[in-house]
Amino acid sequence: MEPPTYNEATLPRSATNVGERDVCPPPSYYASLAQSLEPPPYQETNPYPVLMPASFNTQQISPVNIHLTPLDAVVSQPQAGESATIANLLTSPGSVQCPHCQQDVITKIKQMPGKGAYTLCCILAFSGLVCGFCLIPFMIPDFWDVHHYCPHCGKHLHVHHKS
């Protein structure tokens, strides 16, 4: 069988000689509509089957008796005149007994940039932000540490690290 010539290949299928090639042209649009006017028949199958619950063997299980004994809780809170320990000092001034001058004082605080601010500054500087952008961590109060001092003797008591 020889391939068709250029003229035969470019002509529409209806214009070509169908008898030579054993090719059947597709039906027209209206002919295909006439065949499918009726809907398909209804089938009585359930596309969503009902799931049955699993059956369990219902045997009698004896209950376990647990006897709980209540625990006594002992809570002690500092009294109004009692001073807290130095380790409990946070971001605000606190009442402690100075270990240097042995007086009950309310600490004086001073906020200063901590290790987190210096670390972030170095990271920003090494990444190329050196035109003042690396100084931004020093302006963020969450990167500052709180230093507690005794107002009488001026000695350093505690540092609270926020970050």
Side-chain angles (χ1 to χ4, degrees), residues 48-123:
Y48 305 106
V50 177
L51 297 175
M52 299 301 291
S55 61
F56 294 104
N57 190 3
T58 56
Q59 297 176 349
Q60 283 290 343
I61 299 173
S62 62
V64 178
N65 293 331
I66 299 175
H67 298 286
L68 298 176
T69 58
L71 298 175
D72 295 331
V74 177
V75 178
S76 64
Q77 296 180 351
Q79 300 299 323
E82 206 175 301
S83 60
T85 61
I86 291 178
N88 292 339
L89 294 174
L90 299 175
T91 58
S92 59
S95 174
V96 295
Q97 182 179 11
C98 177
H100 305 287
C101 63
Q102 304 300 323
Q103 292 187 6
D104 288 332
V105 295
I106 295 177
T107 61
K108 204 167 76 173
I109 62 169
K110 184 176 181 183
Q111 295 186 356
M112 297 167 40
K115 292 179 185 177
Y118 287 104
T119 304
L120 192 57
C121 175
C122 291
I123 290 171

Side-chain angles (χ1 to χ4, degrees), residues 90-91 111 114 140-146 159-163:
L90 299 175
T91 58
Q111 295 186 356
I140 301 173
D142 288 339
F143 289 119
W144 293 354
D145 292 340
V146 179
V159 178
H160 174 70
H161 303 284
K162 286 186 185 177
S163 57

Side-chain angles (χ1 to χ4, degrees), residues 131-152:
C131 295
F133 291 108
C134 62
L135 301 176
I136 290 174
F138 294 112
M139 298 175 202
I140 301 173
D142 288 339
F143 289 119
W144 293 354
D145 292 340
V146 179
H147 294 261
H148 291 268
Y149 294 95
C150 176
H152 289 287

